[in-house]
Amino acid sequence: MNEWQVDWTPELHRRFVQAVEQLGLDKAVPSRILELMGNEYRLTRHNIASHLQKYRSHRKHLMAREAEAASWTQKRQMYAAAGGPRKDAAAGGGPWVVPTVGFPPPGAMPPHAGMAHHPGQPPPFCRPLHVWGHPTGVDATLPLSPPSMLPVWPRHLAPPPAWAQQPPVDPVYWHQQYNAARKWGPQAVTQCVPPPMPPAAMMQRFAAPPMPGMVPHPMYRPIPPPPSPVPQSNKVAGLQLQLDAHPSKESIDAAIGDVLVKPWLPLPLGLKPPSLDSVMSELHKQGIPKVPPAATTNCGGAA
DNA sequence: GCTCGTATCT
DNA sequence: AAGATACGAG
């Protein structure tokens, strides 16, 4: 990075966000932000303007995704309230009667309680990530633990594994998080098997279920699906695919985000739970050679 | 000629 | 992909 190029360190960014919030999003213009931030960083109005552009753009994306996630949640809840999957659904179930795989009926268990994983083993879902640190407001973090001081993963190192993101740091760089999320790659779309995680981190991370009604960021960004239709052996699924013709990347992301938030609801079409094989091999990698049968029955393995 | 927002470039 | 620069509008 050139010496005359601004390095937007987390601290600097935090100050920036602070100023923006202080002004209000609509009144936050470069000159005013610059005023509030003072001259100690030797920033120009152009620097601020450039950063503000990025900031707005990322925020916009975020909100679009949240909106979609919310709509997904709504649809899935309607579907769940209607009684879940029905064999005679085609008669009048509507488009949300879709094939789902492997989750217990809604209400059969409290969130996360029946995920059939042993204590100390990760349930096969992953946690939304965090983007564009915000001291307050929409970028609030998950309630898993205090959002306070956690180390920022050094920018020059490889992105941290998802488990190391812990409760997201504030402020964080979008690119760090984006990269980390993207690391999960296409498999995240269909498998959602978390990367290896040390037991201690695991225990802390999954100690508390997400707060009901809390909508964490669906900040989870898998690689876009291949141009060809998602392979689907199921005919009903194929029908649904036609209805949904070409779901946007945002839709897919939102759907995933929603599933991650409410894993106890049926999976929407196109999302598959991790295969038994992948779960087993993942566990094996973590040094857990064999899982009792009971632990696998709810994995929805037949993908 | 300035500020702002957006597009484009490096 | 982050940050700089160009450019048109007000």
Side-chain angles (χ1 to χ4, degrees):
Chain A
M1 178 168 293
N2 291 323
E3 55 181 270
W4 51 82
Q5 206 170 355
V6 174
D7 184 8
W8 283 93
T9 63
E11 168 61 18
L12 188 51
H13 176 68
R14 200 184 59 78
R15 293 285 300 271
F16 167 84
V17 172
Q18 215 170 22
V20 170
E21 289 196 331
Q22 195 172 331
L23 290 165
L25 222 53
D26 46 340
K27 289 183 178 180
V29 294
S31 58
R32 306 277 297 128
I33 297 172
L34 186 52
E35 263 177 50
L36 281 177
M37 289 183 71
N39 207 31
E40 54 180 310
Y41 295 102
R42 302 262 165 193
L43 293 170
T44 68
R45 204 185 53 78
H46 287 84
N47 297 140
I48 305 275
S50 176
H51 197 64
L52 182 60
Q53 183 180 25
K54 248 59 174 179
Y55 179 74
R56 283 172 171 159
S57 142
H58 280 275
R59 244 178 151 275
K60 199 172 151 190
H61 258 95
L62 201 64
M63 292 179 68
R65 294 166 48 77
E66 272 176 351
E68 290 216 54
S71 105
W72 262 103
T73 302
Q74 212 176 0
K75 287 168 180 171
R76 289 178 74 220
Q77 274 169 351
M78 284 171 59
Y79 163 71
R86 300 167 60 111
K87 295 272 159 60
D88 61 338
W96 292 103
V97 181
V98 294
T100 60
V101 231
F103 278 109
M109 60 175 193
H112 298 192
M115 289 304 286
H117 70 278
H118 283 235
Q121 291 178 21
F125 60 86
C126 32
R127 184 169 160 289
L129 297 170
H130 175 78
V131 143
W132 267 101
H134 234 253
T136 63
V138 296
D139 278 343
T141 56
L142 283 175
L144 286 177
S145 60
S148 54
M149 301 296 99
L150 278 143
V152 178
W153 201 270
R155 197 210 263 251
H156 55 281
L157 296 179
W163 57 263
Q165 310 269 323
Q166 286 280 18
V169 182
D170 189 357
V172 220
Y173 269 148
W174 63 93
H175 38 282
Q176 290 167 338
Q177 304 296 349
Y178 259 46
N179 288 342
R182 291 185 73 90
K183 268 240 145 183
W184 289 49
Q187 91 171 126
V189 175
T190 54
Q191 296 199 348
C192 245
V193 176
M197 175 189 291
M202 251 162 30
M203 296 303 284
Q204 191 204 342
R205 175 168 148 192
F206 296 108
M211 204 172 283
M214 183 76 183
V215 182
H217 277 323
M219 211 43 252
Y220 171 80
R221 200 178 168 81
I223 301 289
S228 59
V230 182
Q232 275 287 355
S233 55
N234 190 315
K235 282 178 186 167
V236 188
L239 182 66
Q240 179 61 27
L241 261 189
Q242 287 177 1
L243 294 177
D244 256 346
H246 299 287
S248 68
K249 186 158 55 62
E250 275 72 19
S251 292
I252 293 166
D253 288 358
I256 291 170
D258 186 45
V259 169
L260 298 181
V261 173
K262 307 201 170 173
W264 57 91
L265 288 180
L267 285 176
L269 183 82
L271 288 184
K272 293 190 292 182
S275 72
L276 183 57
D277 281 350
S278 69
V279 172
M280 295 300 275
S281 84
E282 192 60 38
L283 290 176
H284 184 76
K285 277 187 225 160
Q286 294 179 32
I288 303 161
K290 190 170 191 301
V291 182
T296 64
T297 51
N298 268 340
C299 278

